[in-house]
Amino acid sequence: MKDKKYILITKDLHNSLIEFLDEIQFDIAGNTDKDSMHKVNFISWAVGELVNSFEAYFPKKKSREDYVDETFLDWNLPEMNDEDYNKLVDQVDNFLKG
């Protein structure tokens, strides 16, 4: 069995197709011949498929800032002045270099 393939269309095109098919169905509905009834049935099915179709959303591409915000580890450091903070950073740097 082959995998199903899908085609995405815009919401505007989706709505336009439904409106177009509804207009055609309304025009054909007055006819009583067998061919017209087949067309009405097909259009009813097609409109139903469009109305009940799934919506697709594409995720926003993350910027570097978004990625850092999501993955940054909060160390819960105590409040400290700039001098103490710089000492801490220097100690960590020295540790990593060693």
Side-chain angles (χ1 to χ4, degrees):
M1 173 188 258
K2 292 185 179 181
D3 291 334
K4 289 186 177 182
K5 295 184 180 184
Y6 301 93
I7 296 175
L8 299 177
I9 59 173
T10 64
K11 192 69 173 170
D12 289 338
L13 178 58
H14 176 263
N15 292 335
S16 295
L17 282 170
I18 292 172
E19 289 176 20
F20 175 72
L21 290 172
D22 277 341
E23 288 177 21
I24 291 174
Q25 186 177 24
F26 184 74
D27 291 343
I28 295 172
N31 301 339
T32 56
D33 61 297
K34 191 174 183 178
D35 189 46
S36 294
M37 296 310 287
H38 288 299
K39 290 176 185 176
V40 167
N41 288 338
F42 172 76
I43 292 172
S44 294
W45 170 82
V47 168
E49 290 292 311
L50 286 168
V51 168
N52 296 319
S53 61
F54 295 107
E55 290 186 4
Y57 297 95
F58 293 103
K60 182 185 99 178
K61 187 169 183 172
K62 292 181 183 177
S63 67
R64 181 182 172 129
E65 291 79 21
D66 293 336
Y67 179 75
V68 169
D69 287 344
E70 289 178 2
T71 59
F72 181 73
L73 178 63
D74 185 7
W75 291 356
N76 294 322
L77 295 174
E79 291 295 321
M80 60 181 78
N81 60 28
D82 289 342
E83 183 180 334
D84 291 338
Y85 179 77
N86 288 333
K87 284 181 187 177
L88 176 66
V89 170
D90 289 340
Q91 287 176 347
V92 171
D93 282 344
N94 289 332
F95 173 77
L96 294 174
K97 288 177 185 176

